[in-house]
Amino acid sequence: MGKRVAVVLAGCGVLDGSEIHEASAALVHLSRGGAEVKIFAPNIEQRDVVNHLKGSPAEEKRNVLVESARLARGKIQDLAELKAGEFDAVIFPGGFGVAKNLCSWAVDGKNCTVNEHVHSTLQAFHSAKKPIGLCCISPVLAAKVFPGCEVTVGQDKNVDGRFPDAETASAIAELGCKHVCKNVNESHVDKANKIVTTCAFMCKAPLHEIFDGIGTMVQEVLKLA
């Protein structure tokens, strides 16, 4: 019987929601791993809306759950309804929506607050000793909620210009967590906390390398589940 995995989205689109390629990669690897997947998102207003063609703010309002339904092909539930007891693991794809909608990292950095339902979901899986998978910027959620945990967002220096957000590693360390440097096609497993992370688009890399890195994260999550 396949593992039951919850996937938590933050909208639809890299600049104000979930990164679409990351979400799709996670879902493809979960499917290949035989997992039974259900998708969730918080029923809240987005912090902002970005015109992805122009890369500039749009004067409109959108709902995180409604936008996430685009990625979920309509099969999605309010995050408030997620019960950790019904699942073996949870996975959070990345995208700026994580830093804007699931928490306030985009504005407040290490002093951010985490959405109440995101926080309670993370705590519930952690308390039940069930694995948590996170990619791209979403490892900051674990760093904020679980001081002392180990995560990766890639490298702590902008190696060859491929890691423009390397300072995120320093902010994670300031939260009392350990940042572990990894390449884009690798993931890090914090065995003590059952947290698996990979950098994905925190690295400027070809899409297939990001896809492969997310694959290692999903594989490790399913092993731990």
Side-chain angles (χ1 to χ4, degrees):
M1 185 175 177
K3 302 297 182 181
R4 300 163 300 169
V5 181
V7 174
V8 180
L9 299 180
C12 181
V14 59
L15 299 178
D16 58 13
S18 288
E19 210 297 318
I20 293 171
H21 299 298
E22 292 178 9
S24 295
L27 293 170
V28 169
H29 286 296
L30 285 166
S31 176
R32 183 169 286 144
E36 177 187 338
V37 176
K38 289 191 177 179
I39 304 173
F40 298 83
N43 187 10
I44 57 174
E45 188 176 296
Q46 290 184 189
R47 177 176 290 274
D48 63 10
V49 177
V50 177
N51 179 323
H52 280 64
L53 180 61
K54 297 179 179 179
S56 58
E59 294 298 322
E60 59 180 285
K61 297 183 184 299
R62 296 192 183 188
N63 177 279
V64 174
L65 178 59
V66 172
E67 291 302 296
S68 298
R70 294 173 179 270
L71 280 171
R73 296 173 60 85
K75 295 181 179 179
I76 194 166
Q77 294 173 256
D78 187 336
L79 182 59
E81 299 173 5
L82 194 161
K83 296 179 176 61
E86 296 177 356
F87 296 91
D88 300 302
V90 64
I91 287 178
F92 289 77
F96 277 107
V98 171
K100 292 178 176 181
N101 304 325
L102 303 192
C103 71
S104 63
W105 188 278
V107 176
D108 303 317
K110 62 184 176 63
N111 298 316
C112 72
T113 56
V114 178
N115 170 273
E116 62 173 317
H117 295 302
V118 173
H119 193 284
S120 62
T121 295
L122 289 166
Q123 287 282 18
F125 278 86
H126 187 261
S127 297
K129 295 182 171 23
K130 294 179 177 180
I132 299 167
L134 309 114
C135 67
C136 194
I137 191 62
S138 64
V140 302
L141 296 172
K144 188 66 181 179
V145 177
F146 308 118
C149 72
E150 299 177 0
V151 299
T152 188
V153 289
Q155 300 291 321
D156 56 11
K157 294 181 178 60
N158 190 7
V159 182
D160 298 327
R162 297 174 74 230
F163 294 89
D165 301 305
E167 71 276 2
T168 304
S170 298
I172 286 169
E174 289 175 18
L175 285 170
C177 299
K178 180 180 180 181
H179 179 267
V180 181
C181 291
K182 290 285 184 177
N183 291 323
V184 66
N185 60 346
E186 299 176 313
S187 57
H188 177 70
V189 181
D190 177 348
K191 293 181 180 179
N193 290 292
K194 290 193 172 182
I195 295 171
V196 188
T197 51
T198 189
C199 70
F201 277 103
M202 293 292 276
C203 176
K204 290 185 176 181
L207 181 58
H208 71 277
E209 293 184 13
I210 290 161
F211 182 89
D212 292 344
I214 292 171
T216 68
M217 181 266 286
V218 169
Q219 290 167 15
E220 293 297 340
V221 165
L222 293 178
K223 284 181 190 175
L224 290 171

